[in-house]
Amino acid sequence: MSEAPGNVQIQTGAVRAFLRLAGGFFVRERRAKWLGLGLLALTLLQVLIQIRFNLWNRDFFNALENRDRNAFLWQMVLFLGLAGSSMVTAVYQLYVKQLVQLRWREWLTQRLLNLWMNDARHYQLERAGEAENPDQRIAEDARLAVDLAVDFATGIFNSIVMLTAFVGILWTISGALNLSIAGHAITIPGYMVWAALLYAAIGSGLTYLVGKPMVALNFWRTAKEADFRFGLVRARESSEGIALIGGETDERRGLQLLFGNVANAVRDLMKSQRRLMWLTSAYGMLTSVFPTVVAAPSYFSGAITLGGLMQIGSAFGQVQASLNWFVDNFPRLAEWRASVERLLSFRESLRVINSMVEEPDQPTITRIEQAPGGEEKVAFRDVQVAFSDGSVVIAEATAEVRAGERVLVKGESGTGKSTLFRAFAGIWPWGSGEIHMPPREATMFMPQRPYLPLGTLRGALSYPNPPETVSGEAGISALERVGLVHLHEKLDEDARWDQVLSLGEQQRLAFARLLIQKPRWIFMDEATAALDEENQDAMMRLVLEDLPKSALISIGHRPGLDAFHERTLHLHRGPEGAKLAKRPPKRVMAGRKIKIRNPFRRRGGVVPAG
């Protein structure tokens, strides 16, 4: 084995845990109960048809043995009726089963998305490194867990009903086996039933022993597949940077290494499957002749007819299929168990993050959101900001920003400016202290790389509000004012705007979003870093002219930013973490109009900036 998945712990209560996670679908959804009952009813009907087929099997071969033409023809007519009924039942059984799988997956996916996309848990999970590849767990593992769970539930129900029905038939028609051992007469009633039970027990036991490692190996393979797929997606998203720096050789080497891990995991799984295949192939071959060989003495003695022999073989096959369900489905059970384990570990990671934030054992940053209508301000006192591993990045920060103020936060790279920005937003809980913030609906955060959702440009301007909240006139006007007039005809065009637009254009689009939504509090983290100084001045001037009463808290290095803020807070690096100190601004532009030329306006119209 290449690399043992030593961190994989197979929990004995995985099934119960999965039902706690996903079983609410059948408890809370009324339609789910009816779909489930309908699926069980169709499965039961299919079993009844198989029971009738078993009786037909006896009568058909007896008609052949007796050379009874009329009985033969009647059995053929009966066969057509049974076959038609079985076909109709099978079609609707499959449809209802797939409908249950789809509805259950929809419900589970919605629940996982709600847990993941809630109060920045997705971000905190990533920063804490609690669970890798959550996208695959929500998309692929949830699908496999649900689909296979429905398959297994119907398969087990079918096996139990078939076993109950055909054990009785097999017991009745197989009769007793009389043996003489050491002069003692021994009678075994329903001996074919005992033969089937013994045969299935041996096969199941050997299958479990041989195939047990497959659960952990499936878990390991799935994790490595996810890592490889993530590497491919990351390379695609970063294709420009890779091409510009000429990093294809190194990138290819990294991707080949990731795929090498996949190949090693698959090889380990193949070895385990090969060992299991030797067993299941031999077992399946013997199953085809075993009942006939065991029942042959009764046939040759005249105790049963040819039809009886065929009926015994058919009934034994059904009993054997029911008892062999575990043998036949062990590889799929291993795959299902691996997916369930990954889902459960994902859910546990979210629980850990929730408990870390909501019921912390250690101090965390307390973010208090002010009630609407009250005095709005940003106030933080004795705030200490740390990483998820406990290391301190900001040792102490105390300050207050009142409504309408414009404050610039500066400091060396690595002093925690952006981390403090995340604490303002409420997505960074690690640390201690207290932050008072205005209501969420009154604020807008502008990171260095704006987030542009999938969809239309209008949706990007309105985000996180619905696209219809931005009129065409307002959208075009905002685009024109930030120098993106060339995009106004694409307002309702679907595109990957984060790939189509340069970073500078994306930052100007974020300013267009700001002009449309007009928040009372604006938080910028290097929001103009991709713009030249002239474009930066033009964007900041738009903010001051259009939103003169809005408070502005900025993080930035560019000297020109001082002109647009009334005061500066400076983070000073220290041995135990950075500390925040007040520092007077180099130039104060508040209280008078800033005369900075807008580079987007020329005589004769508006032109886009590069």
Side-chain angles (χ1 to χ4, degrees), residues 119-138:
D119 289 337
R121 296 297 182 260
H122 54 97
Y123 174 78
Q124 293 156 0
L125 192 71
E126 194 74 23
R127 297 297 301 183
E130 286 291 333
E132 79 285 355
N133 304 310
D135 51 316
Q136 192 213 34
R137 301 187 189 220
I138 295 173

Side-chain angles (χ1 to χ4, degrees), residues 42 46 85-98:
L42 288 168
Q46 190 69 283
S85 300
S86 180
M87 289 168 57
V88 172
T89 304
V91 167
Y92 281 98
Q93 182 188 23
L94 176 63
Y95 175 75
V96 174
K97 184 182 76 171
Q98 291 175 334

Side-chain angles (χ1 to χ4, degrees), residues 63-213:
L64 286 176
E65 186 180 30
N66 297 329
R67 294 179 173 82
D68 188 336
R69 182 186 297 272
N70 291 332
F72 173 79
L73 293 175
W74 166 244
Q75 293 303 319
M76 291 305 299
V77 172
L78 186 58
F79 171 81
L80 294 174
L82 289 173
S85 300
S86 180
M87 289 168 57
V88 172
T89 304
V91 167
Y92 281 98
Q93 182 188 23
L94 176 63
Y95 175 75
V96 174
K97 184 182 76 171
Q98 291 175 334
L99 196 58
V100 171
Q101 290 170 328
L102 177 61
R103 295 282 173 80
W104 196 4
R105 184 188 176 190
E106 287 176 339
W107 183 89
L108 179 59
T109 301
Q110 186 64 43
R111 184 178 182 190
L112 292 172
L113 287 174
N114 288 341
L115 292 171
W116 187 49
M117 281 288 168
N118 179 51
D119 289 337
R121 296 297 182 260
H122 54 97
Y123 174 78
Q124 293 156 0
L125 192 71
E126 194 74 23
R127 297 297 301 183
E130 286 291 333
E132 79 285 355
N133 304 310
D135 51 316
Q136 192 213 34
R137 301 187 189 220
I138 295 173
E140 188 67 13
D141 290 324
R143 180 187 66 82
L144 281 173
V146 165
D147 286 0
L148 293 179
V150 174
D151 283 344
F152 294 156
T154 54
I156 292 172
F157 177 75
N158 181 79
S159 296
I160 291 173
V161 176
M162 293 280 274
L163 181 63
T164 304
F166 282 97
V167 158
I169 294 173
L170 192 59
W171 184 281
T172 302
I173 63 178
S174 66
L177 177 66
N178 297 312
L179 298 173
S180 179
I181 300 176
H184 297 282
I186 299 176
T187 301
I188 304 176
Y191 74 98
M192 290 295 294
V193 173
W194 301 112
L197 291 173
L198 180 62
Y199 188 73
I202 293 172
S204 297
L206 289 175
T207 299
Y208 177 75
L209 291 175
V210 174
K212 184 179 179 181

Side-chain angles (χ1 to χ4, degrees), residues 99-421:
L99 196 58
V100 171
Q101 290 170 328
L102 177 61
R103 295 282 173 80
W104 196 4
R105 184 188 176 190
E106 287 176 339
W107 183 89
L108 179 59
T109 301
Q110 186 64 43
R111 184 178 182 190
L112 292 172
L113 287 174
N114 288 341
L115 292 171
W116 187 49
M117 281 288 168
N118 179 51
D119 289 337
R121 296 297 182 260
H122 54 97
Y123 174 78
Q124 293 156 0
L125 192 71
E126 194 74 23
R127 297 297 301 183
E130 286 291 333
E132 79 285 355
N133 304 310
D135 51 316
Q136 192 213 34
R137 301 187 189 220
I138 295 173
E140 188 67 13
D141 290 324
R143 180 187 66 82
L144 281 173
V146 165
D147 286 0
L148 293 179
V150 174
D151 283 344
F152 294 156
T154 54
I156 292 172
F157 177 75
N158 181 79
S159 296
I160 291 173
V161 176
M162 293 280 274
L163 181 63
T164 304
F166 282 97
V167 158
I169 294 173
L170 192 59
W171 184 281
T172 302
I173 63 178
S174 66
L177 177 66
N178 297 312
L179 298 173
S180 179
I181 300 176
H184 297 282
I186 299 176
T187 301
I188 304 176
Y191 74 98
M192 290 295 294
V193 173
W194 301 112
L197 291 173
L198 180 62
Y199 188 73
I202 293 172
S204 297
L206 289 175
T207 299
Y208 177 75
L209 291 175
V210 174
K212 184 179 179 181
M214 289 178 61
V215 177
L217 291 172
N218 267 297
F219 187 106
W220 196 241
R221 188 212 64 183
T222 304
K224 295 305 174 186
E225 292 276 12
D227 290 341
F228 178 56
R229 186 160 49 245
F230 175 77
L232 292 172
V233 171
R234 184 174 177 274
R236 186 195 69 191
E237 297 284 348
S238 308
S239 60
E240 182 180 2
I242 295 169
L244 288 173
I245 205 170
E248 287 85 357
T249 301
D250 186 70
E251 202 69 28
R252 185 167 56 249
R253 188 185 304 115
L255 292 173
Q256 287 171 346
L257 180 62
L258 289 174
F259 183 74
N261 293 336
V262 172
N264 288 334
V266 172
R267 286 190 191 98
D268 292 340
L269 186 59
M270 287 168 58
K271 293 175 184 177
S272 182
Q273 288 174 332
R274 183 179 61 194
R275 290 190 292 267
L276 185 61
M277 192 64 184
W278 279 110
L279 174 64
T280 54
S281 295
Y283 188 81
M285 289 293 183
L286 289 174
T287 301
S288 62
V289 298
F290 183 79
T292 304
V293 171
V294 175
S298 297
Y299 174 72
F300 289 126
S301 68
I304 57 175
T305 64
L306 177 62
L309 180 64
M310 292 298 103
Q311 187 182 14
I312 286 176
S314 175
F316 185 92
Q318 296 290 0
V319 170
Q320 203 54 34
S322 302
L323 294 172
N324 285 347
W325 184 90
F326 177 78
V327 175
D328 296 336
N329 288 277
F330 192 87
R332 299 177 74 221
L333 276 168
E335 184 180 9
W336 176 77
R337 187 65 176 270
S339 293
V340 167
E341 292 288 345
R342 284 175 59 78
L343 272 184
L344 294 177
S345 64
F346 176 61
R347 178 65 184 90
E348 177 63 16
S349 297
L350 286 170
R351 189 196 66 77
V352 169
I353 291 295
N354 278 332
S355 62
M356 186 187 300
V357 175
E358 297 175 2
E359 301 173 6
D361 295 330
Q362 301 295 329
T364 58
I365 297 173
T366 302
R367 184 179 185 276
I368 301 172
E369 192 168 298
Q370 296 147 15
E375 181 187 3
E376 294 181 358
K377 64 180 179 179
V378 171
F380 48 101
R381 58 182 67 94
D382 300 325
V383 170
Q384 184 185 79
V385 181
F387 293 124
S388 58
D389 62 3
S391 57
V392 175
V393 61
I394 296 179
E396 191 277 328
T398 299
E400 182 174 303
V401 180
R402 296 193 173 275
E405 280 194 280
R406 297 190 294 277
V407 178
L408 178 65
V409 180
K410 301 181 73 173
E412 297 177 52
S413 179
T415 51
K417 301 184 299 298
S418 295
T419 311
L420 182 62
F421 180 81

